[in-house]
Amino acid sequence: GENVEQHPSTLSVQEGDSAVIKCTYSDSASNYFPWYKQELGKRPQLIIDIRSNVGEKKDQRIAVTLNKTAKHFSLHITETQPEDSAVYFCAARSQAAGNKLTFGGGTRVLVKP
Amino acid sequence: EAGVAQSPRYKIIEKRQSVAFWCNPISGHATLYWYQQILGQGPKLLIQFQNNGVVDDSQLPKDRFSAERLKGVDSTLKIQPAKLEDSAVYLCATRGGLNNEQFFGPGTRLTVL
């Protein structure tokens, strides 16, 4: 089955700096890659996603890149703000695997004011 | 658009007791998932339904966990009997709509003493 690895597990950045989280996946049939943000005690919220037919997608201060050949994708947050502090999860979905999402282990991001 | 609803939000039980969780999906979403999220980890899929049929329950501990979605709308997840290691947040998620995105409910935090 699909295996998703996520790094780093924790990330501390200064407010205004950029944050980058990287994920790798194992199933070459995976074609949808969402990113979720989970604040303490709350549900995971979808913040951005990318499909395998594009290499990059941007939404204001967040962007995601996908390298299908290398089977990795990354989340980039620019001009970080304290409210970006949360746990971020990447995931991969494959139609061949019944369209189920496999999640990475999460990255705890702390933005220091 | 109303989100995924779950109840109860919190539950404390003693080991060997039984517990049930309820999920009401976003209207029209045919696919429903139950995840277990242990503190500090990513969500782990327990079971996936498509309408009222089970698509994937390969990671459901069937000796103690059961789930149903009899009419293809609401779903219940039951644990009987509970063990200490079942302490976790149980997240329901549904998928559908124009972009086929997956949305999570607020979760039920289970503590087994």
Side-chain angles (χ1 to χ4, degrees), chain A residues 12-86:
Chain A
S12 182
V13 296
Q14 206 64 40
E15 183 178 358
D17 288 349
S18 294
V20 180
I21 304 169
K22 299 183 179 182
C23 290
T24 60
Y25 60 99
S26 60
D27 186 353
S28 55
S30 289
N31 58 5
Y32 173 69
F33 307 91
W35 286 87
Y36 287 85
K37 175 183 179 183
Q38 188 174 30
E39 296 176 49
L40 191 63
K42 297 191 175 179
R43 76 187 78 188
Q45 297 265 24
L46 179 68
I47 56 170
I48 195 167
D49 56 16
I50 190 167
R51 298 178 194 274
S52 57
N53 58 346
V54 298
E56 185 173 354
K57 184 176 177 182
K58 191 173 180 181
D59 183 3
Q60 298 182 347
R61 295 186 298 107
I62 59 173
V64 58
T65 59
L66 171 65
N67 182 327
K68 283 190 299 181
T69 305
K71 288 191 279 190
H72 66 68
F73 56 113
S74 301
L75 178 73
H76 304 251
I77 307 173
T78 58
E79 299 171 28
T80 53
Q81 299 168 5
E83 52 263 39
D84 294 329
S85 296

Side-chain angles (χ1 to χ4, degrees), chain A residues 32 36 38 41-46 49 51 89 93 97-101 103-106 108, chain B residues 4 33 35 37 40-43 45 48 56 58-59 91 95 99-102 104-106 109:
Chain A
Y32 173 69
Y36 287 85
Q38 188 174 30
K42 297 191 175 179
R43 76 187 78 188
Q45 297 265 24
L46 179 68
D49 56 16
R51 298 178 194 274
F89 292 98
R93 185 172 82 197
N99 277 318
K100 73 177 186 186
L101 279 178
F103 285 84
R108 183 173 299 278
Chain B
V4 179
Y33 308 86
Y35 290 88
Q37 187 175 27
Q41 298 181 19
L45 181 68
Q48 175 184 347
D56 184 348
S58 57
Q59 297 191 81
L91 293 162
R95 178 168 60 84
N99 295 317
N100 210 21
E101 294 168 353
Q102 181 168 317
F104 285 88
R109 183 176 297 277

